[in-house]
Amino acid sequence: MTPTTSPGSGAIHDSLGVSDVSSYNFRKTVARLIDEAGQSARIGADHLGHATVSTAQDRYMSRGRVRNQVADLLAEVVKGNSGPL
């Protein structure tokens, strides 16, 4: 057993047609989908079974990803501002 698999997970992965996907990669994908859908880190932590939000954030949720919302916000500020920021 490796750190990213649990006993019996191979049969489950095989039955789902994703035998090459580790449990860690599956959990990371679920966390990413929760994050990208704008759900809170608390929801992610609850779903992943973590006692603390920081565990979910540190292990599974990405940092450094480009957020279009920030770019849109800055564009609106610059467009509406006729003087120095």
Side-chain angles (χ1 to χ4, degrees):
M1 180 171 66
T2 66
T4 59
T5 60
S6 57
S9 65
I12 295 168
H13 291 172
D14 289 345
S15 70
L16 295 171
V18 292
S19 58
D20 58 335
V21 176
S22 70
S23 296
Y24 173 82
N25 286 336
F26 180 76
R27 290 171 63 83
K28 184 161 179 68
T29 298
V30 170
R32 181 181 53 81
L33 291 171
I34 290 169
D35 191 27
E36 288 178 356
Q39 300 297 313
S40 71
R42 174 76 268 163
I43 289 172
D46 288 346
H47 183 76
L48 296 168
H50 295 145
T52 62
V53 172
S54 63
T55 301
Q57 289 173 314
D58 294 345
R59 291 186 183 193
Y60 296 106
M61 294 180 161
S62 297
R63 301 250 342 177
R65 200 169 40 239
V66 173
R67 307 280 183 174
N68 291 334
Q69 299 93 325
V70 175
D72 294 342
L73 174 64
L74 292 173
E76 287 298 316
V77 169
V78 170
K79 184 168 56 172
N81 188 352
S82 59
L85 297 173

Coordinates of all heavy atoms in Angstrom, one line a residue:
M1 N 0.8 -1.2 0.0 CA 0.0 0.0 0.0 C 0.9 1.2 0.0 O 1.8 1.4 0.8 CB -0.9 0.0 1.2 CG -1.8 1.2 1.3 SD -3.1 1.0 2.6 CE -2.1 1.1 4.1
T2 N 0.6 2.2 -0.9 CA 1.3 3.4 -0.9 C 0.6 4.5 -0.2 O -0.6 4.3 0.1 CB 1.6 3.9 -2.4 OG1 0.3 4.2 -2.9 CG2 2.3 2.8 -3.2
P3 N 1.2 5.7 0.1 CA 0.5 6.7 0.9 C -0.7 7.3 0.2 O -1.6 7.9 0.8 CB 1.6 7.8 1.0 CG 2.9 7.1 0.9 CD 2.6 6.0 -0.1
T4 N -0.8 7.1 -1.1 CA -1.9 7.7 -1.9 C -3.0 6.7 -2.2 O -3.9 7.0 -3.0 CB -1.4 8.3 -3.2 OG1 -0.8 7.3 -4.0 CG2 -0.5 9.5 -2.9
T5 N -2.9 5.5 -1.7 CA -4.0 4.5 -2.0 C -4.4 3.8 -0.7 O -3.6 3.8 0.3 CB -3.5 3.4 -3.0 OG1 -2.4 2.7 -2.4 CG2 -3.1 4.0 -4.3
S6 N -5.5 3.3 -0.7 CA -6.0 2.6 0.5 C -6.4 1.1 0.1 O -6.6 0.9 -1.1 CB -7.2 3.3 1.1 OG -8.2 3.4 0.2
P7 N -6.5 0.2 1.0 CA -6.8 -1.1 0.7 C -8.1 -1.2 -0.1 O -9.1 -0.6 0.3 CB -6.9 -1.8 2.0 CG -6.1 -1.0 3.0 CD -6.2 0.4 2.4
G8 N -8.2 -1.9 -1.2 CA -9.4 -2.0 -1.9 C -9.6 -0.9 -3.0 O -10.6 -1.0 -3.8
S9 N -8.8 0.1 -2.9 CA -9.1 1.2 -3.8 C -8.8 0.9 -5.3 O -9.4 1.4 -6.2 CB -8.3 2.5 -3.4 OG -6.9 2.3 -3.6
G10 N -7.9 -0.1 -5.5 CA -7.6 -0.5 -6.9 C -8.8 -1.1 -7.5 O -9.1 -0.8 -8.7
A11 N -9.6 -1.9 -6.8 CA -10.8 -2.5 -7.4 C -11.9 -1.4 -7.7 O -12.5 -1.4 -8.8 CB -11.4 -3.5 -6.5
I12 N -12.0 -0.4 -6.8 CA -12.9 0.7 -7.1 C -12.5 1.5 -8.3 O -13.3 1.8 -9.1 CB -13.0 1.6 -5.8 CG1 -13.6 0.8 -4.6 CG2 -13.8 2.8 -6.1 CD1 -13.5 1.5 -3.3
H13 N -11.2 1.8 -8.3 CA -10.7 2.6 -9.5 C -10.9 1.8 -10.8 O -11.3 2.4 -11.8 CB -9.2 2.9 -9.3 CG -8.9 3.9 -8.2 ND1 -7.7 4.2 -7.8 CD2 -9.7 4.6 -7.4 CE1 -7.7 5.0 -6.8 NE2 -9.0 5.3 -6.6
D14 N -10.6 0.5 -10.7 CA -10.8 -0.3 -11.9 C -12.3 -0.3 -12.4 O -12.6 -0.1 -13.6 CB -10.4 -1.8 -11.7 CG -8.9 -1.9 -11.6 OD1 -8.2 -1.0 -12.0 OD2 -8.5 -3.0 -11.1
S15 N -13.2 -0.4 -11.4 CA -14.6 -0.4 -11.8 C -15.1 0.9 -12.3 O -16.1 0.9 -13.1 CB -15.5 -0.8 -10.6 OG -15.5 0.2 -9.6
L16 N -14.5 2.0 -12.0 CA -14.8 3.3 -12.5 C -14.1 3.6 -13.8 O -14.3 4.7 -14.4 CB -14.5 4.4 -11.4 CG -15.3 4.3 -10.2 CD1 -14.8 5.3 -9.1 CD2 -16.8 4.6 -10.5
G17 N -13.2 2.8 -14.2 CA -12.4 3.0 -15.4 C -11.3 4.0 -15.2 O -10.8 4.6 -16.2
V18 N -10.8 4.2 -14.0 CA -9.7 5.1 -13.8 C -8.6 4.5 -12.9 O -8.2 5.0 -11.9 CB -10.3 6.4 -13.1 CG1 -11.1 7.2 -14.0 CG2 -11.0 6.1 -11.8
S19 N -8.2 3.3 -13.4 CA -7.2 2.5 -12.6 C -5.9 3.2 -12.5 O -5.1 3.0 -11.6 CB -7.1 1.2 -13.2 OG -6.6 1.3 -14.6
D20 N -5.6 4.2 -13.4 CA -4.3 4.9 -13.3 C -4.4 6.2 -12.4 O -3.4 6.9 -12.3 CB -3.8 5.2 -14.7 CG -4.8 6.1 -15.5 OD1 -6.0 6.0 -15.2 OD2 -4.4 6.7 -16.4
V21 N -5.5 6.4 -11.8 CA -5.7 7.6 -11.0 C -5.5 7.3 -9.5 O -6.2 6.4 -9.0 CB -7.0 8.3 -11.2 CG1 -7.2 9.5 -10.3 CG2 -7.2 8.7 -12.7
S22 N -4.6 7.9 -8.8 CA -4.4 7.7 -7.4 C -5.4 8.4 -6.6 O -6.1 9.3 -7.0 CB -3.0 8.2 -7.0 OG -3.0 9.6 -7.0
S23 N -5.6 7.9 -5.4 CA -6.6 8.5 -4.5 C -6.2 10.0 -4.2 O -7.1 10.9 -4.2 CB -6.6 7.8 -3.1 OG -7.1 6.5 -3.3
Y24 N -4.9 10.3 -4.1 CA -4.4 11.6 -3.9 C -4.9 12.5 -5.1 O -5.4 13.6 -4.9 CB -2.9 11.7 -3.7 CG -2.4 13.1 -3.7 CD1 -2.5 13.8 -2.5 CD2 -1.9 13.7 -4.8 CE1 -2.0 15.2 -2.5 CE2 -1.5 15.0 -4.8 CZ -1.5 15.8 -3.6 OH -1.1 17.1 -3.6
N25 N -4.6 12.0 -6.3 CA -5.0 12.8 -7.5 C -6.5 13.0 -7.6 O -7.0 14.1 -8.0 CB -4.5 12.2 -8.8 CG -3.0 12.3 -8.9 OD1 -2.4 13.3 -8.4 ND2 -2.4 11.4 -9.7
F26 N -7.3 12.0 -7.2 CA -8.7 12.2 -7.2 C -9.1 13.2 -6.2 O -9.9 14.1 -6.5 CB -9.4 10.9 -6.9 CG -10.9 10.9 -6.9 CD1 -11.6 11.0 -8.1 CD2 -11.6 11.0 -5.7 CE1 -13.0 11.1 -8.1 CE2 -13.0 11.1 -5.7 CZ -13.7 11.2 -6.9
R27 N -8.6 13.2 -5.0 CA -8.9 14.1 -3.9 C -8.5 15.5 -4.4 O -9.2 16.5 -4.1 CB -8.3 13.8 -2.6 CG -8.9 12.5 -2.0 CD -8.1 12.0 -0.8 NE -8.0 12.9 0.3 CZ -8.9 13.1 1.2 NH1 -10.0 12.3 1.2 NH2 -8.8 13.9 2.2
K28 N -7.3 15.7 -5.0 CA -6.9 17.0 -5.4 C -7.8 17.5 -6.5 O -8.1 18.7 -6.5 CB -5.4 16.9 -5.9 CG -4.8 18.2 -6.3 CD -3.3 18.2 -6.4 CE -2.7 19.5 -6.8 NZ -2.9 20.6 -5.8
T29 N -8.3 16.7 -7.4 CA -9.2 17.1 -8.4 C -10.5 17.6 -7.8 O -11.0 18.6 -8.2 CB -9.4 16.0 -9.4 OG1 -8.2 15.6 -10.1 CG2 -10.4 16.4 -10.5
V30 N -11.0 16.8 -6.9 CA -12.2 17.3 -6.2 C -12.0 18.6 -5.5 O -12.9 19.5 -5.6 CB -12.7 16.2 -5.2 CG1 -13.8 16.7 -4.3 CG2 -13.2 14.9 -5.9
A31 N -10.9 18.8 -4.8 CA -10.6 20.0 -4.1 C -10.5 21.2 -5.1 O -11.0 22.3 -4.9 CB -9.4 19.9 -3.3
R32 N -9.9 20.9 -6.3 CA -9.7 22.0 -7.3 C -11.1 22.4 -7.8 O -11.4 23.5 -8.0 CB -8.8 21.5 -8.4 CG -8.6 22.5 -9.5 CD -7.7 22.0 -10.6 NE -8.2 20.7 -11.2 CZ -9.1 20.6 -12.1 NH1 -9.8 21.7 -12.6 NH2 -9.5 19.4 -12.6
L33 N -12.0 21.4 -8.1 CA -13.3 21.7 -8.6 C -14.1 22.5 -7.6 O -14.8 23.4 -8.0 CB -14.0 20.4 -8.9 CG -13.5 19.6 -10.1 CD1 -14.1 18.2 -10.2 CD2 -13.6 20.4 -11.4
I34 N -14.0 22.2 -6.3 CA -14.7 22.9 -5.3 C -14.1 24.3 -5.2 O -14.9 25.3 -5.2 CB -14.5 22.2 -3.9 CG1 -15.2 20.9 -3.8 CG2 -14.8 23.2 -2.7 CD1 -14.9 20.1 -2.6
D35 N -12.8 24.5 -5.3 CA -12.2 25.8 -5.3 C -12.6 26.6 -6.5 O -13.0 27.8 -6.4 CB -10.7 25.6 -5.3 CG -9.9 26.9 -5.0 OD1 -10.4 27.8 -4.4 OD2 -8.7 26.9 -5.4
E36 N -12.5 26.0 -7.7 CA -12.9 26.7 -9.0 C -14.3 27.1 -9.0 O -14.7 28.0 -9.7 CB -12.4 25.9 -10.2 CG -10.9 25.9 -10.3 CD -10.5 25.0 -11.5 OE1 -11.3 24.4 -12.2 OE2 -9.3 25.0 -11.8
A37 N -15.2 26.4 -8.3 CA -16.6 26.7 -8.3 C -16.9 27.8 -7.4 O -18.1 28.2 -7.2 CB -17.4 25.4 -8.0
G38 N -15.9 28.3 -6.7 CA -16.1 29.4 -5.7 C -16.6 29.0 -4.4 O -17.1 29.8 -3.6
Q39 N -16.6 27.7 -4.1 CA -17.0 27.2 -2.8 C -15.9 27.5 -1.8 O -14.7 27.6 -2.1 CB -17.3 25.7 -2.9 CG -18.3 25.3 -3.8 CD -19.7 25.9 -3.5 OE1 -20.1 25.8 -2.4 NE2 -20.3 26.5 -4.5
S40 N -16.3 27.6 -0.6 CA -15.3 27.9 0.5 C -14.4 26.8 0.8 O -14.7 25.6 0.5 CB -16.1 28.3 1.8 OG -16.6 27.2 2.4
A41 N -13.2 27.1 1.4 CA -12.3 26.1 1.8 C -12.8 25.3 2.9 O -12.5 24.1 3.0 CB -11.0 26.8 2.3
R42 N -13.8 25.8 3.7 CA -14.4 25.1 4.7 C -15.2 23.9 4.1 O -15.2 22.8 4.6 CB -15.4 26.0 5.5 CG -16.2 25.3 6.6 CD -15.4 24.9 7.8 NE -14.9 23.5 7.7 CZ -14.0 23.0 8.5 NH1 -13.4 23.8 9.4 NH2 -13.6 21.8 8.4
I43 N -15.9 24.2 3.0 CA -16.7 23.1 2.3 C -15.7 22.1 1.8 O -16.0 20.9 2.0 CB -17.5 23.7 1.2 CG1 -18.7 24.5 1.8 CG2 -18.1 22.6 0.3 CD1 -19.5 25.3 0.8
G44 N -14.6 22.5 1.2 CA -13.6 21.6 0.8 C -13.1 20.7 1.9 O -12.9 19.5 1.8
A45 N -12.7 21.3 3.0 CA -12.2 20.6 4.2 C -13.2 19.6 4.7 O -12.9 18.5 5.0 CB -11.8 21.6 5.3
D46 N -14.5 20.0 4.8 CA -15.5 19.1 5.3 C -15.7 17.9 4.3 O -15.8 16.8 4.8 CB -16.9 19.9 5.4 CG -16.9 20.8 6.5 OD1 -16.0 20.8 7.4 OD2 -17.8 21.7 6.5
H47 N -15.7 18.2 3.0 CA -15.9 17.1 2.1 C -14.7 16.1 2.1 O -14.9 14.9 2.0 CB -16.1 17.7 0.7 CG -16.3 16.6 -0.4 ND1 -17.5 16.0 -0.5 CD2 -15.5 16.0 -1.3 CE1 -17.5 15.1 -1.4 NE2 -16.2 15.1 -1.9
L48 N -13.5 16.7 2.3 CA -12.3 15.8 2.3 C -12.0 15.2 3.6 O -11.1 14.4 3.8 CB -11.1 16.7 1.8 CG -11.2 17.2 0.4 CD1 -10.1 18.2 0.1 CD2 -11.1 16.0 -0.6
G49 N -12.8 15.6 4.6 CA -12.6 15.0 6.0 C -11.5 15.6 6.8 O -11.0 14.9 7.7
H50 N -11.1 16.8 6.5 CA -10.1 17.5 7.3 C -10.6 18.2 8.4 O -11.7 18.9 8.3 CB -9.3 18.4 6.4 CG -8.6 17.7 5.3 ND1 -8.4 18.3 4.0 CD2 -7.9 16.5 5.2 CE1 -7.7 17.5 3.3 NE2 -7.4 16.4 4.0
A51 N -9.9 18.1 9.6 CA -10.4 18.8 10.8 C -10.2 20.3 10.7 O -10.9 21.1 11.3 CB -9.6 18.3 12.0
T52 N -9.2 20.7 9.9 CA -8.9 22.2 9.7 C -9.0 22.6 8.3 O -8.6 21.8 7.4 CB -7.5 22.6 10.3 OG1 -6.5 21.9 9.6 CG2 -7.4 22.2 11.8
V53 N -9.4 23.8 8.1 CA -9.4 24.4 6.7 C -8.0 24.4 6.1 O -7.8 24.2 4.9 CB -10.1 25.8 6.7 CG1 -10.0 26.4 5.4 CG2 -11.6 25.6 7.1
S54 N -7.1 24.8 7.0 CA -5.7 25.0 6.5 C -5.1 23.7 5.9 O -4.3 23.7 4.9 CB -4.8 25.5 7.6 OG -4.7 24.6 8.6
T55 N -5.5 22.5 6.4 CA -5.1 21.3 5.8 C -5.5 21.1 4.4 O -4.7 20.8 3.5 CB -5.5 20.1 6.6 OG1 -5.1 20.2 8.0 CG2 -5.1 18.8 6.1
A56 N -6.8 21.4 4.1 CA -7.3 21.3 2.8 C -6.6 22.3 1.9 O -6.2 22.0 0.7 CB -8.8 21.5 2.8
Q57 N -6.5 23.5 2.4 CA -5.8 24.6 1.6 C -4.4 24.3 1.3 O -3.9 24.4 0.1 CB -5.9 25.9 2.3 CG -7.3 26.5 2.3 CD -7.4 27.7 3.2 OE1 -6.9 27.8 4.3 NE2 -8.1 28.7 2.7
D58 N -3.6 23.8 2.3 CA -2.2 23.6 2.1 C -1.9 22.3 1.2 O -1.0 22.3 0.4 CB -1.5 23.4 3.5 CG -1.5 24.6 4.3 OD1 -1.8 25.7 3.8 OD2 -1.3 24.5 5.5
R59 N -2.8 21.3 1.4 CA -2.5 20.1 0.6 C -3.1 20.0 -0.8 O -2.6 19.4 -1.7 CB -3.0 18.9 1.4 CG -2.2 18.6 2.7 CD -2.6 17.4 3.3 NE -1.8 17.2 4.6 CZ -1.8 16.1 5.2 NH1 -2.4 15.1 4.8 NH2 -1.0 16.0 6.3
Y60 N -4.3 20.6 -0.9 CA -5.0 20.3 -2.1 C -5.4 21.6 -3.0 O -5.7 21.4 -4.1 CB -6.3 19.6 -1.8 CG -6.1 18.2 -1.3 CD1 -6.3 17.9 0.1 CD2 -5.6 17.2 -2.1 CE1 -6.0 16.7 0.6 CE2 -5.4 15.9 -1.6 CZ -5.6 15.7 -0.2 OH -5.4 14.4 0.3
M61 N -5.6 22.7 -2.3 CA -6.0 23.9 -3.1 C -4.9 24.7 -3.6 O -3.9 24.9 -2.8 CB -7.0 24.7 -2.2 CG -8.3 23.9 -1.9 SD -9.4 24.9 -0.9 CE -10.9 24.0 -1.2
S62 N -4.9 25.1 -4.8 CA -3.8 25.7 -5.5 C -3.7 27.2 -5.1 O -4.6 27.8 -4.8 CB -4.0 25.6 -7.0 OG -4.0 24.3 -7.4
R63 N -2.4 27.6 -5.2 CA -2.1 29.0 -5.0 C -1.4 29.4 -6.3 O -0.9 28.6 -7.0 CB -1.1 29.2 -3.8 CG -1.7 28.7 -2.5 CD -2.0 29.8 -1.6 NE -1.3 31.0 -1.9 CZ -1.5 32.1 -1.2 NH1 -2.3 32.1 -0.2 NH2 -1.0 33.2 -1.5
G64 N -1.4 30.7 -6.5 CA -0.7 31.2 -7.7 C -1.4 31.1 -9.0 O -0.9 31.3 -10.1
R65 N -2.7 30.6 -8.9 CA -3.5 30.5 -10.2 C -4.0 31.9 -10.5 O -4.3 32.7 -9.7 CB -4.6 29.6 -9.9 CG -5.2 29.0 -11.2 CD -6.2 27.8 -10.9 NE -7.1 28.0 -9.8 CZ -7.2 27.2 -8.8 NH1 -6.4 26.1 -8.7 NH2 -8.0 27.4 -7.8
V66 N -4.1 32.2 -11.8 CA -4.6 33.5 -12.3 C -6.1 33.5 -12.0 O -6.8 32.6 -12.3 CB -4.3 33.7 -13.8 CG1 -5.0 34.9 -14.3 CG2 -2.8 33.7 -14.0
R67 N -6.5 34.6 -11.4 CA -7.9 34.8 -11.1 C -8.5 35.9 -11.9 O -8.1 37.0 -11.8 CB -8.1 35.1 -9.6 CG -7.5 34.2 -8.6 CD -8.3 33.0 -8.4 NE -7.7 32.1 -7.4 CZ -8.2 31.0 -6.9 NH1 -9.4 30.7 -7.4 NH2 -7.6 30.3 -6.0
N68 N -9.3 35.5 -12.9 CA -9.9 36.5 -13.8 C -10.7 37.6 -13.0 O -10.8 38.7 -13.5 CB -10.8 35.8 -14.8 CG -9.9 35.0 -15.8 OD1 -8.8 35.3 -16.0 ND2 -10.5 34.0 -16.4
Q69 N -11.3 37.2 -11.9 CA -12.0 38.2 -11.2 C -11.2 39.4 -10.7 O -11.6 40.5 -10.7 CB -12.7 37.6 -9.9 CG -13.6 36.4 -10.2 CD -13.0 35.1 -10.2 OE1 -11.8 34.9 -10.5 NE2 -13.7 34.1 -9.7
V70 N -9.9 39.1 -10.3 CA -9.0 40.2 -9.9 C -8.7 41.1 -11.1 O -8.7 42.3 -11.0 CB -7.8 39.6 -9.3 CG1 -6.8 40.7 -8.9 CG2 -8.1 38.8 -8.0
A71 N -8.4 40.5 -12.3 CA -8.1 41.2 -13.5 C -9.3 42.1 -13.9 O -9.1 43.3 -14.2 CB -7.7 40.3 -14.6
D72 N -10.5 41.5 -13.8 CA -11.7 42.3 -14.1 C -11.9 43.5 -13.2 O -12.2 44.6 -13.6 CB -12.9 41.4 -14.1 CG -12.9 40.3 -15.2 OD1 -12.1 40.5 -16.1 OD2 -13.7 39.3 -15.0
L73 N -11.7 43.2 -11.9 CA -11.8 44.3 -10.9 C -10.8 45.4 -11.2 O -11.1 46.6 -11.2 CB -11.6 43.7 -9.5 CG -11.5 44.7 -8.4 CD1 -12.8 45.4 -8.2 CD2 -11.1 44.1 -7.1
L74 N -9.5 45.1 -11.4 CA -8.5 46.1 -11.7 C -8.8 46.8 -13.0 O -8.6 48.1 -13.1 CB -7.1 45.4 -11.8 CG -6.6 44.9 -10.5 CD1 -5.3 44.1 -10.7 CD2 -6.4 46.0 -9.5
A75 N -9.3 46.1 -14.0 CA -9.7 46.8 -15.3 C -10.8 47.8 -15.0 O -10.8 48.9 -15.6 CB -10.1 45.8 -16.3
E76 N -11.8 47.5 -14.2 CA -12.9 48.4 -13.9 C -12.3 49.6 -13.2 O -12.8 50.8 -13.4 CB -14.0 47.7 -13.1 CG -14.8 46.8 -13.9 CD -15.6 47.5 -15.0 OE1 -16.1 48.6 -14.8 OE2 -15.6 46.9 -16.1
V77 N -11.4 49.4 -12.2 CA -10.9 50.5 -11.5 C -10.1 51.5 -12.4 O -10.2 52.7 -12.3 CB -10.0 50.0 -10.3 CG1 -9.2 51.2 -9.7 CG2 -10.8 49.3 -9.3
V78 N -9.3 50.9 -13.2 CA -8.4 51.7 -14.1 C -9.3 52.4 -15.1 O -9.2 53.6 -15.4 CB -7.4 50.8 -14.9 CG1 -6.7 51.6 -16.0 CG2 -6.4 50.3 -13.9
K79 N -10.3 51.8 -15.7 CA -11.2 52.4 -16.7 C -12.0 53.5 -16.1 O -12.2 54.5 -16.7 CB -12.2 51.3 -17.2 CG -13.1 51.8 -18.3 CD -13.8 50.7 -19.1 CE -14.6 49.8 -18.1 NZ -15.5 48.9 -18.8
G80 N -12.4 53.4 -14.8 CA -13.2 54.4 -14.2 C -12.4 55.5 -13.5 O -13.0 56.5 -13.0
N81 N -11.1 55.4 -13.6 CA -10.3 56.4 -12.9 C -9.6 57.3 -13.9 O -8.8 56.8 -14.7 CB -9.2 55.6 -12.0 CG -8.4 56.6 -11.1 OD1 -8.5 57.8 -11.2 ND2 -7.6 56.0 -10.3
S82 N -9.8 58.6 -13.8 CA -9.2 59.5 -14.8 C -7.9 60.1 -14.3 O -7.2 60.8 -15.0 CB -10.2 60.6 -15.1 OG -10.6 61.3 -13.9
G83 N -7.6 59.9 -13.0 CA -6.4 60.4 -12.4 C -5.5 59.3 -11.9 O -5.7 58.1 -12.1
P84 N -4.5 59.7 -11.2 CA -3.6 58.7 -10.6 C -4.3 57.9 -9.6 O -5.2 58.3 -8.9 CB -2.4 59.5 -9.9 CG -2.8 60.9 -10.0 CD -4.0 61.1 -10.9
L85 N -3.9 56.6 -9.5 CA -4.5 55.7 -8.5 C -4.1 56.2 -7.1 O -4.6 56.1 -6.2 CB -4.1 54.3 -8.7 CG -4.5 53.6 -10.0 CD1 -3.9 52.3 -10.2 CD2 -6.0 53.5 -10.1

